[in-house]
Amino acid sequence: MDVLFVGLGSIGTRHLKNLHAVAAQKDIPVRAWALRSSARALPEETRALLAGEFTSLPEHARYDAAFITNPTHLHFGMLQNLRGKADTLFIEKPIFERTDRALADCLAPGQKAYVAAPMRWCGTMLALKKALPALSVYSARVLCSSYLPGWRPGVDYRTVYSAHKDMGGGVTIDLLMNGIIWWSFSASRKRCIILKGRTAIWRSIRTTFPSI
């Protein structure tokens, strides 16, 4: 199986290691390449999992799968470049930093895409989703925060995309807060009011329902 990794930071490296581990269990041979913008040398254990590295996408390249793990604001352009060049796309959330872009515009006929938003399928969220229809919910206050200095140890958090809204950072987009609330309460949603907190990493969202 030929696989491309676009971006190989902490998240991309984790996916690379997991892919090799699962493939080994299932006796599936894997050849993985990394498309990188950084000149930083990779750790030897990571480099050993790669067939090669390059800084630009080969013109006639074709892959069974591609992992899009670069900064959010670069997803749209990369997905367009990979249109028809990878059978399956694994895209780290969030897909895009802007709402006027659609994933369908980046896919070739038959090309599949999966967006990494596993929180929707954890036990707590599934139990909440199942219980909500039987409850007389009239409002919900959801708090979400992220302590960026502790997220990527050894890296200046102010320089990474997570700290910049125009690059797809911030709790509302980066942690899919609005999407999770919409998914949980959409069946009885009337309107959403988003209240901005004092800092960029905090949001309080109050959702009002018809049953008030």
Side-chain angles (χ1 to χ4, degrees):
M1 178 169 62
D2 292 339
V3 183
L4 173 69
F5 281 81
V6 180
L8 208 57
S10 59
I11 296 176
T13 300
R14 183 182 65 196
H15 289 315
L16 174 65
K17 292 179 178 179
N18 288 342
L19 175 65
H20 273 280
V22 173
Q25 292 174 3
K26 297 183 178 295
D27 198 25
I28 300 174
V30 171
R31 292 191 303 172
W33 286 267
L35 176 58
R36 307 177 64 217
S37 59
S38 172
R40 174 181 56 87
L42 292 171
E44 185 58 38
E45 62 175 9
T46 302
R47 214 165 52 193
L49 300 176
L50 296 171
E53 302 176 50
F54 35 77
T55 56
S56 60
L57 189 66
E59 185 177 353
H60 301 294
R62 179 79 190 189
Y63 304 95
D64 297 301
F67 284 70
I68 313 302
T69 64
N70 56 346
T72 301
H73 71 292
L74 300 176
H75 284 185
F76 186 73
M78 181 52 60
L79 287 170
Q80 289 187 316
N81 290 338
L82 286 172
R83 181 181 172 89
K85 292 186 176 181
D87 296 335
T88 302
L89 301 167
F90 180 100
I91 310 167
E92 264 298 334
K93 55 86 178 164
I95 309 177
F96 304 128
E97 81 287 7
R98 289 165 37 182
T99 58
D100 60 346
R101 289 175 169 170
L103 180 58
D105 295 336
C106 304
L107 302 180
Q111 196 171 25
K112 300 176 182 178
Y114 171 83
V115 180
M119 187 180 292
R120 292 174 297 170
W121 313 119
C122 74
T124 301
M125 295 304 299
L126 291 175
L128 176 64
K129 182 76 169 180
K130 183 178 180 180
L132 281 172
L135 301 177
S136 298
V137 181
Y138 61 88
S139 70
R141 186 174 186 235
V142 181
L143 302 179
C144 189
S145 65
S146 174
Y147 186 65
L148 294 183
W151 195 350
R152 297 180 176 88
V155 177
D156 185 348
Y157 72 94
R158 295 168 296 183
T159 65
V160 300
Y161 84 91
S162 297
H164 300 274
K165 182 179 179 179
D166 59 340
M167 297 172 67
V171 162
T172 303
I173 300 176
D174 199 20
L175 299 189
L176 291 184
M177 185 181 181
N178 288 352
I180 293 298
I181 294 171
W182 186 282
W183 179 81
S184 299
F185 299 103
S186 59
S188 55
R189 180 189 55 82
K190 184 178 181 181
R191 67 178 183 274
C192 288
I193 303 172
I194 301 179
L195 305 175
K196 292 185 178 180
R198 292 184 178 182
T199 68
I201 62 170
W202 183 87
R203 295 289 187 274
S204 174
I205 297 184
R206 177 188 175 189
T207 306
T208 307
F209 297 88
S211 57
I212 287 180

